Amino acid sequence: LEEITPRPVQDTGSILKQGYLEKRSREHSFFGSEWQKRWCVLNRKTFYYYANEKSKQPKGNFSIENYDAQLAFHLRKDSRRKCCFELICPGKRTYEFTAPSPAEAQDWVDQIQFLLKDLNSLTIPFDEEDEEELYNDVDSSDSVNTTSHNTTLNQDEPNVEMEEDDIYEVLPGK
């Protein structure tokens, strides 16, 4: 039910990466698909693309959750082929981009993958952390009690020697 609200470039929240990319249009002309220069903005969950950096309304946007980012040299046959990357999600539209340089394309892919790992890690480890904390709490309280108990015994009865293997306390008079 939650929709992504279109926002001006300045209002897209915490921007992780932004810059000009060429985006392949969905419509194919007689000459093939066209690449259009777009100002792209990546925030914590959404990828926005605008006509330019001063645009008030995005040309489009999509949630990057469940997408995968990867370099895609097959998208172009010209000298810019090593500058291409794509965002893929099964059952959803694939977005194809060309960056100004191969290093810039790699940086976009790295930033998106880092963000995706971060998004995934927020939803998975809660159970594991709780179990680990419970285990550590029990473990640490046992060792604290045992240590303090032994220390108390040794301080009260300095002449009583206990063997390490002996788990029973020696009581006086028995």
Side-chain angles (χ1 to χ4, degrees):
L1 194 67
E2 183 181 353
E3 286 188 27
I4 300 169
T5 349
R7 299 176 175 177
V9 174
Q10 300 80 7
D11 299 338
T12 54
S14 57
I15 295 172
L16 300 176
K17 183 149 182 73
Q18 61 186 344
Y20 277 105
L21 297 172
E22 288 181 25
K23 183 185 139 311
R24 185 180 251 172
S25 66
R26 210 180 338 196
E27 294 85 34
H28 295 283
S29 70
F30 175 73
F31 301 105
S33 59
E34 293 182 26
W35 293 91
Q36 299 160 331
K37 190 175 182 179
R38 295 286 180 241
W39 180 256
C40 298
V41 176
L42 176 66
N43 76 8
R44 282 197 45 76
K45 291 185 177 181
T46 309
F47 192 104
Y48 296 90
Y49 50 97
Y50 298 83
N52 60 53
E53 59 188 302
K54 295 186 179 12
S55 297
K56 298 285 183 207
Q57 288 292 327
K59 288 276 191 185
N61 61 57
F62 59 97
S63 170
I64 65 157
E65 204 164 4
N66 301 319
Y67 270 85
D68 183 35
Q70 59 193 26
L71 294 174
F73 300 156
H74 66 278
L75 294 179
R76 292 179 83 137
K77 304 290 183 231
D78 61 8
S79 62
R80 312 255 336 262
R81 66 187 199 86
K82 291 195 175 184
C83 302
C84 297
F85 68 96
E86 59 188 355
L87 297 172
I88 302 168
C89 181
K92 293 187 179 180
R93 176 181 172 190
T94 295
Y95 291 88
E96 301 167 332
F97 298 96
T98 303
S101 70
E104 205 38 40
Q106 184 65 59
D107 192 44
W108 276 96
V109 168
D110 291 345
Q111 289 292 325
I112 293 166
Q113 286 177 341
F114 177 78
L115 186 58
L116 291 169
K117 282 181 192 168
D118 192 36
L119 283 173
N120 290 334
S121 71
L122 292 176
T123 55
I124 295 170
F126 288 115
D127 292 336
E128 293 173 14
E129 283 180 11
D130 289 343
E131 285 178 28
E132 190 175 313
E133 284 178 26
L134 285 174
Y135 176 77
N136 285 340
D137 288 344
V138 170
D139 185 41
S140 62
S141 66
D142 277 355
S143 60
V144 168
N145 289 343
T146 306
T147 306
S148 64
H149 182 68
N150 286 345
T151 306
T152 306
L153 276 178
N154 292 340
Q155 285 174 350
D156 289 346
E157 302 171 343
N159 297 332
V160 176
E161 290 183 24
M162 293 179 65
E163 291 181 28
E164 286 185 39
D165 294 336
D166 191 4
I167 60 168
Y168 299 101
E169 185 178 342
V170 178
L171 296 176
K174 289 196 178 186

